[in-house]
Amino acid sequence: SSDQIKIFTSGKVELLNTSFSSCKPEKPFWVISTDRITLLENKRNVEIEGLKLKIANIPIIYIPYLTTTVGKERFSGFLTPSIHQSKDGLDLSIPYYLNIAPNIDMTLGTRLIQKRGSGLFAELRYLNSNSTGELSIAGITKDKIFRKESKDASSRWGASWFHRLLIGNSFTAEALMEDVSDLSYFKDIDDDFIGGYKKDFLKKNISLSWFLPNTEVNFRAKQDKSLSPFSLDAIEIVPSIDLKYFLRNKNISYGLDINFSKFKSRELILE
């Protein structure tokens, strides 16, 4: 809702005393409100004044001034907060976007989970002429529920790194690495910020591919580590090699496909 909307001949738009909540309007549990929201003439940037968050009518956050962007324009500033009700109470995330360079950006933010505690998250993305990648990490300090259940007061975190390298049209290399502080992290935190929501396995994958005339060679090494507390095995493929050869002669095609894979199942030692 908004008390007043002003539309100027220049194209600027102002909203005064605006509030937002997904709760029932009669008695909202949480409300985000602003004194003024201004959509500038370029229709790409927004100025927000007097941003406030109240939970159970108690002021939690106040930001006097911030700028952000709308649409697909890249511009450093606060992104739309994420707020929802989870199994652990109110779950609030406030992200900030950094446009570091034309080929590098980062998203930083804070997260508050009502019954567990607070934490931070970060995501770095990069793109070069022959490579692309993404590094993500998120965590929560002193998880109150986890500390009570396990007597462990350590910080909890999840992280992932993906990198792809291209050299001409003949060579590709990819790496994916994922890790967590403990096996119950994704089950407890529901951390979809790094793509781990309802994740069942942690992956560590490396692949190399060569593309030659009429020939393709692929090398893979991988490990899938189960996040289930009832599974004590990790499945490894070290290595897997594919050789494909094909030839076409007029209306006849010839092909040869050879695969060698070595599987290894090892028992995990629980700490």
Side-chain angles (χ1 to χ4, degrees):
S1 64
S2 185
D3 288 350
Q4 191 175 9
I5 299 176
K6 295 182 179 180
I7 301 176
F8 296 83
T9 55
S10 62
K12 182 176 71 173
V13 178
E14 284 187 353
L15 288 80
L16 303 180
N17 298 325
T18 300
S19 62
F20 168 79
S21 177
S22 62
C23 304
K24 294 182 178 180
E26 300 82 20
K27 192 177 180 181
F29 178 70
W30 63 268
V31 175
I32 294 177
S33 62
T34 64
D35 296 336
R36 185 191 306 269
I37 299 176
T38 303
L39 176 64
L40 301 181
E41 291 87 342
N42 58 20
K43 298 293 191 300
R44 294 177 296 183
N45 304 126
V46 175
E47 295 178 345
I48 302 175
E49 302 175 31
L51 176 67
K52 297 177 284 292
L53 168 65
K54 289 185 177 181
I55 299 176
N57 210 30
I58 299 174
I60 302 297
I61 295 174
Y62 174 73
I63 302 175
Y65 177 83
L66 62 91
T67 58
T68 185
T69 182
V70 295
K72 297 182 179 180
E73 184 74 11
R74 296 181 60 187
F75 178 80
S76 295
F78 283 95
L79 302 176
T80 304
S82 171
I83 184 168
H84 65 277
Q85 196 74 15
S86 70
K87 65 182 187 298
D88 296 318
L90 185 71
D91 191 339
L92 170 67
S93 298
I94 302 178
Y96 186 87
Y97 176 78
L98 284 170
N99 185 21
I100 300 173
N103 63 324
I104 304 174
D105 62 15
M106 175 181 283
T107 302
L108 304 170
T110 60
R111 185 178 182 186
L112 171 66
I113 304 177
Q114 187 178 7
K115 295 181 182 180
R116 290 188 177 273
S118 59
L120 302 172
F121 58 83
E123 180 185 67
L124 175 69
R125 301 185 301 176
Y126 54 90
L127 175 65
N128 298 312
S129 58
N130 63 343
S131 64
T132 182
E134 182 177 306
L135 174 64
S136 302
I137 185 168
I140 183 171
T141 59
K142 299 179 181 178
D143 186 328
K144 291 177 285 188
I145 296 178
F146 186 70
R147 180 172 53 184
K148 183 178 179 181
E149 293 176 347
S150 65
K151 310 302 179 184
D152 187 348
S154 304
S155 298
R156 309 183 72 193
W157 54 268
S160 69
W161 175 62
F162 172 77
H163 182 78
R164 176 184 288 126
L165 173 66
L166 305 174
I167 299 179
N169 296 321
S170 60
F171 178 79
T172 302
E174 289 188 1
L176 172 62
M177 301 292 172
E178 300 175 330
D179 205 356
V180 290
S181 58
D182 57 89
L183 296 180
S184 301
Y185 175 80
F186 286 117
K187 178 178 71 68
D188 293 343
I189 306 300
D190 287 350
D191 195 348
D192 57 350
F193 180 80
I194 64 170
Y197 183 62
K198 294 185 178 178
K199 183 181 288 293
D200 296 320
F201 291 90
L202 290 179
K203 296 182 179 297
K204 290 182 173 64
N205 299 344
I206 296 176
S207 65
L208 306 173
S209 300
W210 288 270
F211 302 94
L212 305 172
N214 302 326
T215 306
E216 178 181 333
V217 181
N218 297 292
F219 171 86
R220 291 186 304 134
K222 64 179 295 186
Q223 179 189 97
D224 291 341
K225 178 181 176 181
S226 175
L227 291 174
S228 170
F230 304 104
S231 177
L232 302 180
D233 290 336
I235 304 301
E236 297 182 1
I237 301 178
V238 189
S240 174
I241 301 175
D242 277 305
L243 173 62
K244 297 181 180 180
Y245 177 79
F246 50 91
L247 181 66
R248 177 173 295 176
N249 184 9
K250 295 182 179 180
N251 295 326
I252 301 176
S253 296
Y254 305 89
L256 175 65
D257 193 341
I258 301 174
N259 172 268
F260 170 82
S261 297
K262 182 180 180 181
F263 294 86
K264 181 180 179 182
S265 178
R266 64 182 179 86
E267 184 176 342
L268 298 179
I269 300 176
L270 299 183
E271 298 179 357

